[in-house]
Amino acid sequence: MIFFSSKSGKSYLIVIAIWLVVIACAYVTISYFNRQSLKLIQKIELFPSSDYAKAHLLYDEADIGFKKIMNEADKKNKNSDTKVLLSPDDELVTHTLGLYLKALDIDPVTEYSPQRCIYYERVAQIYEVCGEDYNRYEYMARALLCNENYKLAEMYAGTAAASKVKDRKAWELLANVYIGLKSWTYASVAVRQAQKAGMPDYTMLFYNAKIYFARENYQQAKESLMESLRMNPSQNKSRELMADTLEIMGESTASAHMLEDGIGHGIENSTALLYRMGMLFYKQNDLDKAIKYLSMALALAPDNPDLHWDLARALQHSGAPAHQVLEHQSIAGRINPNYKTKYLD
């Protein structure tokens, strides 16, 4: 049996007290940073950067939460014969999903670009470990669409739509799948179902235009998009598809001016659309506008070597001072060494 002197007993109590203070401080610190992190979604709009940069700040933050969630799910199921689910109301789960969904919402990369695939998959995995099957099916379908795996995406999207027939997003997703499969009748039916579930008329017109475009009926696609934009000018998706349509129809000048009309409606926040507009004006030899919009795009994405290179080309053709041309040419080569061996037009 071990006896403690009063002196050693006091020391022991002091050590315990110190550890309790340390634990309390750690808890307060973690709580503080968690609260600050929760505010990230609201605060992110204040960042003086492009939507692309904002989205990737959120993705990076969400990835930290994703790893913790997956580790927690593995621990719970390590020695269990039956699958143990995490609570969908868990603070870490809701916080991480909120970050991913906000990032996906503002990310200027097209909705089914391959770059988005990994994030759709991670959202689907989080829903899976929480037993939220409907949401898992939806985001797995999105990931499969990014990889153009339309047949498997049809199974997931169809299950999601059947689970919640009043959810317009599920029907929109299924419409995209059928457009990929070139199943025009089914795509049109899915759009009508989405409209019944609350899809606005301008979005319905956009999806009809997507179907017309995929069927190479460009005149009808153009008419649907014009009406869609008349109803709601703040639609980058419609403007982007309209640009594609007009270019295919040989109306590049109209395409450039249609995008320019989107300034004040969100185009000014899209690096991709500003870049595209700048290059359209460059091809028309409207160098003042080309320089203007390429510079605006570069302000949103200062580390993009293609933007620096094409701005150097536009400046050179405009007769700008050589040092301005050389500055952007050099930056392009520093970021991407391939540009070091290229020559301006």
Side-chain angles (χ1 to χ4, degrees):
M1 189 171 183
I2 300 173
F3 295 93
F4 291 97
S5 67
S6 60
K7 186 176 180 180
S8 62
K10 287 179 182 178
S11 300
Y12 183 70
L13 290 172
I14 290 169
V15 170
I16 292 175
I18 290 171
W19 274 109
L20 287 172
V21 170
V22 169
I23 292 167
C25 289
Y27 177 79
V28 170
T29 302
I30 291 168
S31 298
Y32 170 78
F33 281 113
N34 192 45
R35 283 197 302 274
Q36 295 302 108
S37 185
L38 284 168
K39 292 176 182 176
L40 183 59
I41 295 175
Q42 288 77 33
K43 295 288 186 183
I44 200 73
E45 280 77 15
L46 302 176
F47 279 56
S49 56
S50 69
D51 283 346
Y52 180 84
K54 292 177 184 177
H56 280 267
L57 284 171
L58 292 169
Y59 285 139
D60 290 345
E61 182 77 7
D63 286 345
I64 295 169
F66 173 77
K67 290 175 184 176
K68 291 178 181 177
I69 290 167
M70 292 299 109
N71 287 336
E72 182 65 21
D74 288 343
K75 285 179 185 177
K76 284 183 177 290
N77 287 279
K78 188 174 182 179
N79 298 312
S80 177
D81 294 331
T82 58
K83 188 172 182 179
V84 179
L85 299 173
L86 302 185
S87 170
D89 297 322
D90 178 85
E91 186 177 6
L92 179 61
V93 170
T94 57
H95 171 58
T96 303
L97 283 173
L99 290 169
Y100 275 132
L101 297 180
K102 177 65 176 178
L104 289 165
D105 183 53
I106 67 172
D107 193 341
V109 174
T110 52
E111 189 173 11
Y112 298 113
S113 167
Q115 291 100 303
R116 285 180 175 245
C117 182
I118 185 65
Y119 303 116
Y120 288 139
E121 287 178 348
R122 287 174 182 171
V123 171
Q125 285 178 268
I126 293 173
Y127 281 127
E128 182 179 10
V129 298
C130 294
E132 300 276 308
D133 286 337
Y134 160 74
N135 291 317
R136 176 170 74 91
Y137 296 147
E138 177 188 342
Y139 282 90
M140 274 307 301
R142 291 181 183 279
L144 290 162
L145 267 174
C146 292
N147 291 325
E148 298 184 1
N149 189 341
Y150 300 118
K151 289 303 294 181
L152 193 53
E154 180 186 12
M155 182 183 76
Y156 280 101
T159 304
S163 301
K164 287 192 177 180
V165 294
K166 293 184 178 180
D167 186 338
R168 59 171 268 211
K169 288 185 178 180
W171 291 111
E172 287 181 33
L173 178 61
L174 194 56
N176 281 302
V177 171
Y178 286 132
I179 290 170
L181 288 168
K182 299 183 179 180
S183 300
W184 316 123
T185 301
Y186 287 126
S188 297
V189 171
V191 171
R192 286 198 294 273
Q193 291 285 15
Q195 192 178 18
K196 288 180 184 177
M199 174 195 280
D201 288 345
Y202 60 82
T203 307
M204 179 270 294
L205 286 163
F206 165 72
Y207 273 97
N208 285 343
K210 283 189 76 170
I211 295 170
Y212 289 134
F213 184 89
R215 298 184 71 174
E216 299 182 3
N217 190 339
Y218 300 119
Q219 183 58 40
Q220 282 191 278
K222 176 182 174 180
E223 290 171 7
S224 289
L225 289 166
M226 286 175 66
E227 181 62 16
S228 176
L229 286 165
R230 186 192 66 77
M231 290 181 176
N232 183 357
S234 300
Q235 297 181 81
N236 282 355
K237 288 181 183 179
S238 289
R239 287 192 185 277
E240 190 167 13
L241 185 58
M242 179 68 102
D244 293 336
T245 304
L246 292 171
E247 284 192 72
I248 287 175
M249 295 176 74
E251 300 179 34
S252 295
T253 302
S255 178
H257 287 292
M258 184 276 308
L259 287 173
E260 190 174 34
D261 288 342
I263 297 293
H265 294 293
I267 296 292
E268 66 276 10
N269 297 318
S270 171
T271 303
L273 292 180
L274 286 169
Y275 190 6
R276 182 171 186 173
M277 184 166 39
M279 292 311 294
L280 281 169
F281 280 119
Y282 175 77
K283 289 173 185 175
Q284 294 161 32
N285 208 37
D286 190 338
L287 297 175
D288 288 342
K289 286 190 175 181
I291 291 167
K292 175 183 176 180
Y293 293 120
L294 288 172
S295 297
M296 286 174 66
L298 195 58
L300 296 175
D303 295 327
N304 186 313
D306 301 328
L307 273 170
H308 281 286
W309 183 262
D310 287 320
L311 181 54
R313 291 168 64 198
L315 287 166
Q316 183 185 55
H317 281 236
S318 73
H323 70 88
Q324 291 183 12
V325 177
L326 183 59
E327 177 187 0
H328 291 288
Q329 184 181 4
S330 300
I331 294 172
R334 189 164 65 245
I335 298 171
N336 182 350
N338 290 331
Y339 280 120
K340 290 183 178 179
T341 57
K342 292 183 69 174
Y343 293 94
L344 294 173
D345 298 341

